[in-house]
Amino acid sequence: MTKITWISLVMAVVSSLAVAGPVTINNYSFENGMGDDPRWATPTDWAMNGSTEEGRTGVMLASLSGNTTTAGSHVAYINMTWGADTTVVSLYQATNATFVEGNTYTLTVAMSVRGETSATWNVPYKLSLEYADGTPVATATGTLLYVDRGPLVDYSVNYTAVAADAGKTIQVRITDTQNNGEYAQQMVLDNVRLNAVPEPAAMSLLALGGILSLRRRRPPVNV
Ligand SMILES: [Ca+2]
């Protein structure tokens, strides 16, 4: 292999590794920008999609929600629908990172349920990785089982980017998909994390490069 080829290979590996690791999620723990507390408005650095009703999402002290969190003192909430407005609500945020082909992305959110009435309904959720225009590339759905003021538990969605995703902005979205039109429960969420792991081939190439460079540094053998 020529020197130029090696340099190209190393540059390619380094460029793919440069975006590995945690991707910044602004206000990931919902501790920033609190005015009134609780705050019955969209959390700072996040956007809400789905309803114009006041208070469909917001932030409050974990001690007020009653749910146990290990990330700071505040949690965010998304309300189930109520009344005539049965539009589901999601919180979303475009990151400053773009998809890299072969990287595996994991979005993890700590979630639980908060009840305001005697109802003990479960809360269906959806976690999405998508482009900035809202086109999803991966979703995970499930149900948060009702535990009165229960601890927040991690849920995740994984996705390995393909060539068509390369260079597209990564956006994350958390949706409370309940739409039965009768308010009773809240989805409670906190500690939103997005991690990127390079493809094994890139890791192997880097390891191989390391081994070869070590071999080169060996002193010459006298003959
Ligand atoms: Ca928090």
Side-chain angles (χ1 to χ4, degrees):
M1 198 176 278
T2 67
K3 198 170 190 177
I4 297 295
T5 309
W6 262 114
I7 289 170
S8 308
L9 185 62
V10 169
M11 292 289 283
V13 170
V14 167
S15 68
S16 72
L17 290 176
V19 294
V23 175
T24 299
I25 303 289
N26 293 318
N27 199 18
Y28 74 97
S29 183
F30 307 106
E31 307 295 323
N32 301 340
M34 295 299 295
D36 297 332
D37 193 348
R39 172 177 166 172
W40 309 114
T42 307
T44 300
D45 293 324
W46 291 84
M48 183 190 78
N49 180 284
S51 174
T52 57
E53 280 186 343
E54 188 180 3
R56 284 292 294 278
T57 181
V59 182
M60 62 185 152
L61 278 167
S63 59
L64 176 62
S65 87
N67 298 93
T68 304
T69 182
T70 56
S73 55
H74 291 81
V75 296
Y77 64 85
I78 301 175
N79 281 319
M80 287 170 59
T81 58
W82 66 82
D85 185 353
T86 57
T87 314
V88 299
V89 166
S90 60
L91 285 176
Y92 65 97
Q93 180 179 142
T95 70
N96 61 4
T98 56
F99 286 109
V100 173
E101 182 184 0
N103 275 9
T104 296
Y105 298 88
T106 302
L107 169 65
T108 304
V109 185
M111 297 190 287
S112 187
V113 174
R114 175 176 180 252
E116 286 233 323
T117 72
S118 58
T120 56
W121 296 335
N122 303 321
V123 172
Y125 70 87
K126 181 163 70 176
L127 300 179
S128 313
L129 288 167
E130 56 190 32
Y131 300 158
D133 66 1
T135 303
V137 294
T139 60
T141 59
T143 302
L144 305 174
L145 298 177
Y146 178 78
V147 178
D148 188 24
R149 313 291 161 104
L152 276 73
V153 176
D154 281 349
Y155 296 85
S156 297
V157 59
N158 297 294
Y159 178 66
T160 300
V162 298
D165 303 321
K168 299 267 179 47
T169 293
I170 306 170
Q171 182 162 281
V172 299
R173 184 183 299 271
I174 303 117
T175 308
D176 177 343
T177 56
Q178 182 64 268
N179 66 341
N180 71 357
E182 185 177 356
Y183 168 71
Q185 310 283 106
Q186 290 176 325
M187 168 196 281
V188 177
L189 60 147
D190 200 7
N191 201 12
V192 182
R193 288 144 283 166
L194 178 61
N195 200 42
V197 176
E199 60 183 328
M203 301 275 279
S204 302
L205 284 172
L206 190 71
L208 181 63
I211 290 165
L212 289 173
S213 70
L214 284 175
R215 284 172 62 92
R216 282 187 173 186
R217 288 193 197 125
R218 280 186 184 169
V221 179
N222 292 324
V223 290

